[in-house]
């Protein structure tokens, strides 16, 4: 009966629990990284689709300008302007397609696809409203679900038990040893034999070593407490920051969506005015650039919105289940 070794065993068990939670926390980090890369790939696919649509519009405007010039309705500058816009859209499409291909490569590397394995993005990431999750609920859940915080708590308990173990080195220990067997030339001519011993160990001349172990254990305990307090503050910051980003991105998505509609109306009216001969195609070119800018702003704001949801899911804890729920607008 040695209280020192008993407390050591309990401390080692808490270290195992801490390591298990640390492993689960790594899974949450992987879930966040893969989600971010997938969202980037989805945004890249949206940019390619948008660039293709804008290229089709530019081609239609260019053909219209050529027809009008051949009929003597517009000067050559309108054709040249439409051709410049067409080539600009072609360059934009080439750039976005290349970026999308590289994003798929990054995603495939993150999820462990074999080299050269083709990857096709199947799930789009549409806009979903923010679920009814308040800051207070998120904070409570984060401190109860975050695996890194649980790992820190287990590490703190291990340090407390290590300190108790160091103090228990001053206590006496009791050991009992017993043995029983049989001795004789054969089973019919044998008799029992046994030994029993009880040892009492009283530490007398190891005060300096015990004192050093206690000082070391106290230092470890203070370090674990400081680390846990810092982690708690970090979790609070991450949750609050994710909420701020989510609310701001939500407003940006609403504004960007309205801007896309307005830019499309502007382009339609500009093309109608050019077809009616009211103005040249300068208005059409400007409207095309406005549509391109509006689409880019919408794609970027939607990516930021979903990325903020993913960050909130990581901050709340259990990211493997929380992030998909938040992206679908469901209460985790």
């Amino acid at each position: 009966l040695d209280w020192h070794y008993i407390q050591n065993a309990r401390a080692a068990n808490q270290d195992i629990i801490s390591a298990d939670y640390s492993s689960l926390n790594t899974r949450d980090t992987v879930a966040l990284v893969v989600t971010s890369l997938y969202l980037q790939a989805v945004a890249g696919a949206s940019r390619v689709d948008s660039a293709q649509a804008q290229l089709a519009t530019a081609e239609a405007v260019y053909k219209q300008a050529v027809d009008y010039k051949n009929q003597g309705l517009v000067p050559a500058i309108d054709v040249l302007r439409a051709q410049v816009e067409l080539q600009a859209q072609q360059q934009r499409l080439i750039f976005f397609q290349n970026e999308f291909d590289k994003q798929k490569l990054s995603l495939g590397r993150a999820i462990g696809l074999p080299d050269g394995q083709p990857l096709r993005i199947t799930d789009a990431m549409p806009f979903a409203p923010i679920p009814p999750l308040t800051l207070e609920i998120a904070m409570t859940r984060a401190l109860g679900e975050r695996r890194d915080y649980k790992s820190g708590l287990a590490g703190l308990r291990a340090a407390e038990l290590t300190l108790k173990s160091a103090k228990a080195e001053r206590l006496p220990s009791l050991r009992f040893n017993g043995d029983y067997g049989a001795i004789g030339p054969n089973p019919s001519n044998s008799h029992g034999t046994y030994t029993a011993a009880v040892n009492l160990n009283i530490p007398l001349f190891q005060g300096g070593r015990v004192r050093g172990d206690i000082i070391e254990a106290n230092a470890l305990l203070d370090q674990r407490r400081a680390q846990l307090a810092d982690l708690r503050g970090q979790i609070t910051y991450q949750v609050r920051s994710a909420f701020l980003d989510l609310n701001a991105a939500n407003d940006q998505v609403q504004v960007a969506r309205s801007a896309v509609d307005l830019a499309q109306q502007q382009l339609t009216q500009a093309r109608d005015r050019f077809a009616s001969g009211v103005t040249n195609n300068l208005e059409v070119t400007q409207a095309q650039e406005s549509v391109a800018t509006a689409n880019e702003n919408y794609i970027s704001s939607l990516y930021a919105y979903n990325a903020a949801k993913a960050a909130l899911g990581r901050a709340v804890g259990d990211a493997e289940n929380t992030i998909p729920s938040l992206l679908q607008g469901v209460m985790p």
Side-chain angles (χ1 to χ4, degrees):
L1 179 62
D2 192 324
W3 193 245
H4 164 63
Y5 289 114
I6 291 175
Q7 297 288 25
N8 262 349
R10 294 174 63 188
N13 183 62
Q14 290 298 320
D15 284 333
I16 293 175
I17 295 175
S18 176
D20 288 339
Y21 279 126
S22 179
S23 176
L24 293 174
N25 179 64
T26 302
R27 291 177 62 92
D28 286 345
T29 302
V30 171
L32 176 62
V33 171
V34 172
T35 301
S36 299
L37 291 174
Y38 193 89
L39 291 176
Q40 289 179 7
V42 169
S46 299
R47 290 187 174 97
V48 171
D49 293 340
S50 175
Q52 289 174 342
Q54 293 163 24
L55 177 60
T57 301
E59 288 176 344
V61 172
Y62 172 70
K63 292 178 180 179
Q64 186 180 39
V66 171
D67 291 340
Y68 284 0
K69 177 182 178 297
N70 293 336
Q71 298 173 17
L73 300 177
V74 297
I77 185 63
D78 283 349
V79 177
L80 182 60
R81 189 183 295 119
Q83 187 175 9
V84 169
E85 179 65 20
L86 175 60
Q87 292 181 352
Q89 297 299 337
Q90 289 173 341
Q91 291 178 346
R92 182 176 287 135
L93 176 59
I94 294 172
F95 172 78
F96 285 141
Q97 184 64 58
N98 181 61
E99 289 297 309
F100 178 51
D101 291 338
K102 291 194 294 184
Q103 288 163 352
K104 289 195 295 183
L105 287 177
S106 298
L107 178 59
R109 178 179 174 84
I111 63 180
L113 285 182
D115 186 28
Q117 175 75 31
L119 177 64
R120 183 167 61 92
I121 303 298
T122 59
D123 296 334
M125 202 60 62
F127 176 82
I130 302 175
L133 181 65
T134 64
L135 179 60
E136 292 73 16
I137 295 176
M139 287 297 305
T140 302
R141 179 166 178 172
L143 295 177
E145 296 291 336
R146 284 280 293 257
R147 275 77 177 268
D148 51 352
Y149 192 72
K150 288 182 178 181
S151 176
L153 287 175
L156 178 61
R157 287 192 291 268
E160 293 173 346
L161 292 172
T162 300
L163 178 59
K164 290 181 179 180
S165 173
K167 293 180 179 179
E169 293 180 22
R170 295 172 174 171
L171 301 178
S173 60
L174 181 65
R175 300 174 184 269
F176 171 77
N177 297 313
D179 175 81
Y180 182 82
I183 188 171
N186 52 64
S188 61
N189 188 17
S190 63
H191 59 85
T193 177
Y194 63 89
T195 59
V198 177
N199 298 324
L200 179 63
N201 181 25
I202 301 176
L204 296 177
F205 303 106
Q206 53 182 4
R209 182 176 66 83
V210 173
R211 187 163 53 251
D213 290 343
I214 292 176
I215 292 174
E216 182 180 357
N218 265 319
L220 177 63
L221 180 59
D222 291 340
Q223 180 184 12
R224 295 283 174 84
R225 283 173 177 167
Q227 290 174 345
L228 189 62
D230 178 71
L231 179 58
R232 185 185 182 93
Q234 181 181 350
I235 291 173
T236 301
Y237 169 79
Q238 290 175 350
V239 173
R240 292 183 181 275
S241 178
F243 259 92
L244 291 174
D245 290 342
L246 185 59
N247 291 328
N250 180 53
D251 295 338
Q252 289 176 350
V253 169
Q254 303 299 334
V255 175
R257 180 181 295 171
S258 176
V260 169
D261 294 337
L262 294 175
Q264 290 289 355
Q265 294 177 22
Q266 179 185 2
L267 177 59
T268 301
Q269 294 181 14
R271 293 185 64 181
D272 291 342
R273 284 166 57 84
F274 176 63
S276 301
V278 177
T279 183
N280 56 28
N281 68 346
L282 178 60
E283 289 186 7
V284 179
T285 302
Q286 293 174 342
Q288 286 178 281
E289 291 300 320
S290 297
V291 170
T293 301
N295 282 327
E296 174 60 29
N297 290 339
Y298 177 71
I299 294 171
S300 298
S301 61
L302 185 58
Y303 166 75
Y305 177 73
N306 289 319
K309 280 186 175 181
L312 179 60
R314 174 65 179 92
V316 168
D318 191 17
E320 292 181 77
N321 298 314
T322 306
I323 291 178
S325 298
L326 289 175
L327 290 176
Q328 296 172 7
V330 180
M331 183 70 177

